[in-house]
Amino acid sequence: MSTGAGTRRVVVIGAGIVGCSLADELTARGWRDVTVLEQGPLHAPGGSTSHAPGLVFRTHPHKTMTDLAAYTVRKFSALTEDGRSCFDAVGGLEVATTEARWADLHRRAGLAASWGIEGELVPARRCAELWPLLDESRVLGGFHTPGDGLARALPAARVQAARAAARGARFLDRHTVTGIERADGRVTAVGTDRGTFPADLVVSAAGFWGPVIGALAGVTVPLLPLAHQYVTTSAVPGLDGRRPILRHQDQDLYFREHPAEDPGPDGRPSVRLGIGSYAHRVLPVDPYAVPAFDDAPVMPSALPFTPEDFAPSWTASGTLLPALAGCRVEDGVNGVFSFTPDGLPLLGESPELRGFWLAEAVWVTHSAGAAKAVAEWLTDGRPGTDLHGCEVSRFEGAQRSPGYVHARGARQFTEVYDVVHPLAPADRPRPLRVSPWYARQRELGAHFLEDGGWERPHWFEANAPLAREPALPARDAWSARHWSPAAAAEARATRERVALYDMTPLRRLEVTGPGALDFLQRMTTHQLAKRPGAVTYTLLLDAAGGIRSDLTVARLAADRFQIGANSAADLEWLAGHAPVGVRVADRTSGTCGIGVWGPLARELVQPLSGTDFSHRGFGYFTAREAYIGEVPVTALRLSYVGELGWELYTSADLGLRLWDTLWQAGRPLGVVAGGRSAFESLRLEKGYRAWGRDMTTEHNPYEAGLGWAVRRDKGDFVGRAALAGVSQETVRRRLVCLTLDDPSAIVLGGEPVYLAGTAAGYVTSAAHGYTLGRTVAYAWLPAAAAAPGTAVEVAYFGARIPATVRAEPLFDPAMDRIRR
């Protein structure tokens, strides 16, 4: 990981809005040897920046994306060119013409409140006041965000480039990159048609040309260029150039005004309307076939307009805005943009080539924020914003295949304005990664969702007949999606009997070699210097004390450790810091795992093994090599659901045998297969955190209630210095447990939490606690509101639901059930 500006040579490829923003952010932090290479002319090089409509709606389901957009607004608002701001805060208005969209706008308003964005749900009459050309009769209501608006991308790029150049950066146009030179696994230079530029660090900010640059470096860039239609109309009577940007997502449309520089013949503003559409067929673009700047009729990113694709959108536009009846489409473009398989940017250092960084798939909306985060990362070794959802390494090998990238990128385009449930799975290409017992899961009626390419059972329809009284609370249409009463049956079976949970997608790393213990001691927070057979819950921190991940570390031998990790980023982090002689390997794909949990777990596994599985012989948080029937397993006595049990891991070839052995032996005990829905409920009842949702690098262990996993007396470790003076008593915010006062109420996560009528935090995870008979939620709140008994409200689709802060854990606080 690069730290400190020093004399490092940085080459940025691409002088669009991201490249110019990055040069400005780097030079503002003391970097001086910064060269920006651009294949086109400065400062309208013909990429996506040159034709982007500049809409900035900050509210996003991902807090990170909202944070990046919010910084972009703040920065561009402070930049001026010729006395005019680079951001025009005309506001934003999203209108609903269907009940489903109107409900979704209530959800978006909740997200905005959670992430600190000013917004207001407004009736149809107010929508018509904000946009007089609207047919009010077709609108149910809208969501108005006064701080949103229009980014003037090209002026913002020019101003930032000028600032960077004044600090020493070089901007060189008409330089086409022809190669990325490397040695010993690191980048060394960038070759162009006009010379070679030595580099210690290279950042690809090439936009939809990212895959081309990546290929030159031997790096896969999972990005799909797609054409998106945008037109401008003739002058529209009634527009004044100050209307909010408008989204009509029910028809995949957005609108913005284009005021003319000079007034019309009557002295009034002459304003054209810009209309963007995502309603047309998917139009993939081969970045290798895009013409060079001098060969393009308009610009490389502006492909010929296809009127037949836009015709339905023009009709839909006229239905919402009847004033368009006397207007016409004057100009149109099929503009090229970048889409990733999950719709989020690609930020960070490539694990395939050290020193080669990506700042790709970043739209104007998030440009300055993404550049700031990457500049912080390069300078300080960490971004100031949690970027785990944007890291390059989040995609596994199969997810970087051309077929996968194309299918998922196209899906992102078609769903960009859809009402998408947070659990909604993609339909293809699936199945991709499956457990050895996938066929058995299908036989049990598994409802699969997907994560990291893995098919993960959410519940099993075979268990639906087991659902019984007490009656479950009725669910609204939103919370009922991707849920079944079978989840309640599985949770109860886990509490009362025994259940098998698929743990195969849990990432498993192996750390071996002399010095492995000392290395892991330096990298993690807890004391790992324990005898072989010990298992320890610990944290990975960054230098600022933020939680990079949480791990379970099993010491299987003096110099061999098995680690339960969260993501590929954990592998990259550990491997990147490992000293000579210590090997960090990913064992996930070649292994599989089953969680055997419940009060009858010992009765299930003990008859199948010669190993002593008694509490005295196999204590909590210990590990043993054992046999289950004929299958060799690494057994870890852990429980993420708050019940007696073990995680059993074996090689993938023996996985089916392990499942069948446990299943057959468990039938007399009433064994069931358990899915992620029940798992989530059980872990929240027990107060167990989920990294990436409940805590990230933006939180320290004491804020997250995990100070007990920090052993400052064990010696130095990454992040230790940053925790000096920090304790649970000194933190200003805390992750707290809530229960909804109404046993029938349901929330799902992401909702704002109100304290004395003011938004004070947000829910991270939530699920109905089937054992407790009410919904359990975890939320970030000010430390002053963390005392048990504090009354709060959780907003769900506009309704305020009373809730109460509770002492945790709610279930089995004495740990009797786990340690029996």
Side-chain angles (χ1 to χ4, degrees):
M1 191 67 66
S2 304
T3 55
T7 59
R8 289 177 178 266
R9 299 163 296 182
V10 181
V11 173
V12 178
I13 301 173
I17 188 62
V18 178
C20 291
S21 296
L22 180 58
D24 183 39
E25 295 288 341
L26 284 172
T27 55
R29 287 166 174 77
W31 297 76
R32 293 296 175 260
D33 197 342
V34 177
T35 301
V36 182
L37 302 176
E38 173 53 56
Q39 64 181 344
L42 298 174
H43 284 284
S48 299
T49 302
S50 301
H51 68 76
L55 279 69
V56 178
F57 282 90
R58 293 163 296 168
T59 304
H60 194 281
H62 293 266
K63 179 178 180 293
T64 294
M65 299 299 284
T66 297
D67 290 344
L68 299 182
Y71 178 80
T72 300
V73 168
R74 293 195 300 272
K75 183 174 186 180
F76 288 3
S77 296
L79 300 177
T80 59
E81 184 183 62
D82 297 330
R84 184 180 173 189
S85 174
C86 292
F87 184 78
D88 193 0
V90 294
L93 177 64
E94 303 173 60
V95 296
T97 58
T98 64
E99 292 291 349
R101 181 68 59 183
W102 184 224
D104 192 59
L105 291 186
H106 283 74
R107 186 174 70 97
R108 287 182 59 78
L111 289 170
S114 291
W115 312 149
I117 302 299
E118 179 187 0
E120 180 186 15
L121 289 165
V122 296
R125 179 178 299 177
R126 177 58 177 155
C127 292
E129 291 173 355
L130 292 165
W131 252 90
L133 303 189
L134 279 174
D135 181 350
E136 181 182 340
S137 68
R138 296 185 177 276
V139 176
L140 301 178
F143 179 47
H144 181 221
T145 46
D148 291 336
L150 295 166
R152 300 175 61 231
L154 288 176
R158 290 192 293 264
V159 171
Q160 290 180 100
R163 298 193 335 172
R167 303 185 192 108
R170 291 187 299 171
F171 286 78
L172 303 176
D173 64 357
R174 303 288 186 175
H175 281 65
T176 299
V177 174
T178 57
I180 305 294
E181 299 181 12
R182 52 204 142 158
D184 300 323
R186 288 199 62 87
V187 68
T188 59
V190 177
T192 75
D193 57 352
R194 297 176 65 180
T196 298
F197 297 84
D200 302 300
L201 297 165
V202 173
V203 184
S204 178
F208 63 81
W209 285 286
V212 177
I213 300 300
L216 295 175
V219 169
T220 303
V221 178
L223 174 161
L224 178 67
L226 291 168
H228 160 56
Q229 290 200 305
Y230 188 78
V231 306
T232 49
T233 69
S234 56
V236 180
L239 295 181
D240 61 4
R242 297 302 305 167
R243 298 299 169 189
I245 47 177
L246 174 67
R247 287 209 284 201
H248 180 22
Q249 291 157 294
D250 287 321
Q251 293 294 329
D252 296 312
L253 293 169
Y254 63 81
F255 307 86
R256 61 151 293 184
E257 295 176 305
H258 287 278
E261 295 295 329
D262 300 314
D266 58 359
R268 302 181 67 180
S270 176
V271 181
R272 299 191 301 163
L273 191 63
I275 307 174
S277 171
Y278 292 99
H280 55 81
R281 62 192 170 97
V282 175
L283 299 168
V285 176
D286 180 358
Y288 289 93
V290 174
F293 186 90
D294 294 327
D295 298 329
V298 180
M299 65 180 77
S301 64
L303 303 184
F305 185 60
T306 51
E308 65 277 9
D309 289 312
F310 191 76
S313 293
W314 179 246
T315 300
S317 298
T319 300
L320 182 70
L321 307 173
L324 292 178
C327 303
R328 66 185 183 280
V329 173
E330 286 196 339
D331 301 296
V333 63
N334 286 7
V336 187
F337 286 87
S338 302
F339 288 80
T340 61
D342 61 6
L344 301 180
L346 299 168
L347 304 177
E349 187 176 23
S350 168
E352 300 169 271
L353 179 62
R354 294 303 176 196
F356 186 81
W357 287 63
L358 296 180
E360 299 288 14
V362 180
W363 293 6
V364 172
T365 300
H366 311 100
S367 55
K372 173 178 176 285
V374 172
E376 290 171 336
W377 207 343
L378 288 166
T379 305
D380 305 324
R382 70 183 296 271
T385 301
D386 165 47
L387 293 182
H388 82 272
C390 303
E391 290 195 35
V392 178
S393 59
R394 71 186 184 273
F395 294 116
E396 306 288 343
Q399 294 177 295
R400 297 195 294 269
S401 69
Y404 186 94
V405 172
H406 186 281
R408 293 300 173 87
R411 176 179 183 253
Q412 290 300 321
F413 178 89
T414 59
E415 292 185 350
V416 70
Y417 276 176
D418 288 357
V419 178
V420 179
H421 194 278
L423 293 177
D427 57 354
R428 63 186 183 92
R430 292 178 62 194
L432 187 62
R433 308 175 79 188
V434 299
S435 299
W437 41 82
Y438 175 68
R440 299 291 188 265
Q441 293 170 335
R442 292 186 65 186
E443 291 169 1
L444 293 170
H447 178 84
F448 290 101
L449 302 184
E450 186 201 42
D451 184 29
W454 286 101
E455 295 295 323
R456 307 188 77 173
H458 214 54
W459 71 80
F460 295 86
E461 278 303 314
N463 297 323
L466 302 177
R468 64 178 193 273
E469 297 293 336
L472 297 172
R475 291 191 171 228
D476 63 281
W478 188 253
S479 63
R481 294 189 194 181
H482 306 290
W483 177 84
S484 166
E490 293 161 16
R492 291 194 185 100
T494 307
R495 292 278 188 242
E496 296 172 1
R497 301 188 304 279
V498 62
L500 305 183
Y501 287 83
D502 186 356
M503 301 298 289
T504 301
L506 174 69
R507 186 170 297 274
R508 289 170 293 287
L509 309 179
E510 184 179 65
V511 179
T512 57
L517 173 61
D518 290 341
F519 164 62
L520 290 174
Q521 285 281 74
R522 290 194 305 274
M523 298 304 297
T524 68
T525 60
H526 215 303
Q527 177 59 259
L528 303 183
K530 303 173 182 177
R531 57 180 174 77
V535 180
T536 306
Y537 176 88
T538 188
L539 306 173
L540 285 180
L541 304 183
D542 60 24
I547 304 173
R548 281 191 57 91
S549 189
D550 63 344
L551 313 173
T552 54
V553 180
R555 190 177 190 184
L556 303 181
D559 294 326
R560 182 166 70 95
F561 296 81
Q562 177 175 305
I563 296 177
N566 285 295
S567 70
D570 297 342
L571 171 65
E572 297 303 322
W573 178 257
L574 291 172
H577 286 83
V580 175
V582 173
R583 183 168 183 252
V584 181
D586 190 343
R587 301 299 187 202
T588 311
S589 296
T591 57
C592 57
I594 299 174
V596 184
W597 292 314
L600 303 183
R602 184 174 288 116
E603 293 182 41
L604 172 54
V605 298
Q606 185 62 85
L608 300 173
S609 181
T611 299
D612 183 1
F613 276 79
S614 70
H615 182 61
R616 181 181 295 275
F618 201 145
Y620 186 54
F621 263 84
T622 60
R624 298 282 188 276
E625 304 289 352
Y627 284 91
I628 299 296
E630 299 80 17
V631 180
V633 299
T634 299
L636 279 59
R637 190 173 169 192
L638 303 175
S639 175
Y640 202 54
V641 299
E643 294 292 340
L644 171 69
W646 288 263
E647 295 177 5
L648 304 176
Y649 295 100
T650 191
S651 56
D653 60 322
L654 292 168
L656 185 58
R657 181 71 171 199
L658 177 61
W659 177 275
D660 287 346
T661 299
L662 291 166
W663 187 257
Q664 291 302 320
R667 292 182 68 179
L669 302 174
V671 70
V672 303
R676 298 298 297 183
S677 184
F679 184 91
E680 185 77 356
S681 171
L682 296 168
R683 71 100 178 167
L684 286 171
E685 289 182 333
K686 191 59 181 171
Y688 292 146
R689 277 70 167 142
W691 184 85
R693 282 190 289 161
D694 298 323
M695 72 274 194
T696 69
T697 54
E698 296 182 359
H699 312 107
N700 69 50
Y702 299 96
E703 294 172 326
L706 296 173
W708 57 268
V710 178
R711 292 290 185 267
R712 301 193 208 201
D713 58 354
K714 74 166 186 173
D716 196 22
F717 56 85
V718 175
R720 182 178 185 274
L723 298 179
V726 180
S727 69
Q728 188 167 326
E729 288 69 36
T730 63
V731 298
R732 296 182 179 179
R733 60 181 176 180
R734 286 178 56 189
L735 183 66
V736 302
C737 176
L738 309 175
T739 59
L740 303 189
D741 294 354
D742 180 353
S744 67
I746 303 287
V747 299
L748 300 179
E751 298 88 359
V753 180
Y754 288 81
L755 180 66
T758 300
Y762 59 92
V763 173
T764 58
S765 298
H768 187 75
Y770 301 111
T771 312
L772 303 173
R774 64 183 62 244
T775 291
V776 180
Y778 273 75
W780 283 100
L781 287 176
T790 301
V792 297
E793 292 178 311
V794 180
Y796 181 71
F797 285 88
R800 299 285 181 89
I801 302 175
T804 304
V805 176
R806 301 295 185 187
E808 57 172 339
L810 297 170
F811 179 78
D812 188 28
M815 302 286 282
D816 293 333
R817 297 174 69 91
I818 288 180
R819 291 175 170 157
R820 61 177 67 180

